[in-house]
Amino acid sequence: MYNFFFYAVPEHFPFLLQGALVTVELSLISMLLGTLLGFFLAVGRLSPRRTLRWPLDAFVEVVRDTPLIVQLLLIYFSLPEAGIVLSAFWAGIAGLTLNLAAYLSEVFRAAIVAVDKGQREAAISLGMSPVAVYCRVIIPQAALASLPTLGGYFIALLKDCSLVSFISVNELLRHATIVISDTFDSMDTYIMVAIIYFMMSFISARIIRYVELWLTPSNRRATLSVPLTMDKEGAR
């Protein structure tokens, strides 16, 4: 324990935090792109056109039924043979994004289907275009219903980013292997890695929970009504 607190942590923790910043960067970019792509996949899979729906269904099935590490290796090592060369960082982004989008498409599809059809019909009867119905009626409700699941997938994504170390991305786990190769101290290093992953996941979970509570309509109404109530009491 003495060596851990007075040697390992001061010596290697800052270097591991540099890798953790890359992990966070990978997670945020992949989450943003994966969410957008997943939503469009969900909309396409709900299309009545088979020529659009079937290829998207096939893509989702293939991605969900193969390991993420295999997808990353294919993108990084096999695409150059087809003339598509990506850096290790962007190959990791591509793999994480495609994998996440396939799973989120199911989340969004279920959320969209759960919106009451009567609301769609009422919006159309008011003269709203299909695009306006999606933007003003369906998307807000589907997004709110999907938020807890999206938060869970983001936390899982933070930990899945460790797989990009296999394609030489200098994220947290890659930095840990560098430290171990220099010090041969695997136990202390992996304990620090576990602590950092826990910190990132715990903080992310708290932020997601706060956003979820804030976006809940009842909580927002309560929050907005507090200043008004205080003003009335002050006027009295």
Side-chain angles (χ1 to χ4, degrees):
M1 293 296 292
Y2 177 87
N3 289 334
F4 178 76
F5 286 107
F6 294 98
Y7 172 73
V9 172
E11 184 75 15
H12 304 300
F13 205 75
F15 181 69
L16 294 176
L17 286 179
Q18 294 177 13
L21 291 177
V22 178
T23 297
V24 173
E25 186 179 3
L26 284 166
S27 300
L28 291 175
I29 296 175
S30 299
M31 190 70 195
L32 175 62
L33 297 178
T35 300
L36 293 175
L37 181 58
F39 174 76
F40 287 115
L41 283 173
V43 173
R45 295 178 67 199
L46 291 171
S47 172
R49 299 180 181 179
R50 295 180 179 177
T51 54
L52 176 62
R53 189 174 70 250
W54 286 359
L56 296 180
D57 286 340
F59 167 79
V60 171
E61 286 300 321
V62 169
V63 173
R64 292 178 64 190
D65 295 339
T66 54
L68 174 57
I69 182 61
V70 174
Q71 298 165 18
L72 291 169
L73 293 174
L74 282 172
I75 291 172
Y76 186 63
F77 292 108
S78 298
L79 285 185
E81 298 181 7
I84 303 174
V85 180
L86 297 174
S87 66
F89 181 85
W90 287 107
I93 291 289
L96 292 170
T97 297
L98 293 175
N99 185 270
L100 182 65
Y103 284 95
L104 291 185
S105 69
E106 280 294 299
V107 175
F108 290 131
R109 186 179 66 84
I112 292 172
V113 171
V115 177
D116 188 3
K117 292 183 179 180
Q119 297 187 36
R120 309 182 195 188
E121 295 170 355
I124 293 173
S125 67
L126 292 174
M128 296 177 65
S129 66
V131 175
V133 172
Y134 259 98
C135 294
R136 301 182 63 180
V137 178
I138 296 177
I139 292 179
Q141 297 183 66
L144 187 60
S146 304
L147 185 60
T149 307
L150 291 177
Y153 273 107
F154 178 75
I155 294 173
L157 179 63
L158 275 172
K159 293 173 281 189
D160 286 341
C161 283
S162 61
L163 295 176
V164 300
S165 63
F166 287 91
I167 58 173
S168 303
V169 178
N170 288 319
E171 47 74 63
L172 177 55
L173 189 62
R174 177 78 173 177
H175 277 216
T177 59
I178 294 173
V179 171
I180 293 172
S181 65
D182 290 338
T183 64
F184 300 100
D185 187 2
S186 59
M187 181 176 179
D188 289 346
T189 303
Y190 284 134
I191 288 175
M192 288 187 288
V193 169
I195 292 172
I196 294 174
Y197 272 120
F198 174 81
M199 291 168 55
M200 292 191 297
S201 300
F202 182 82
I203 294 172
S204 299
R206 299 287 78 76
I207 294 174
I208 292 165
R209 180 60 177 165
Y210 174 80
V211 173
E212 180 186 347
L213 292 174
W214 186 81
L215 290 177
T216 301
S218 59
N219 290 331
R220 292 191 65 181
R221 286 195 295 269
T223 302
L224 293 175
S225 66
V226 170
L228 181 60
T229 303
M230 293 176 66
D231 291 341
K232 288 181 178 180
E233 292 177 352
R236 292 174 185 175

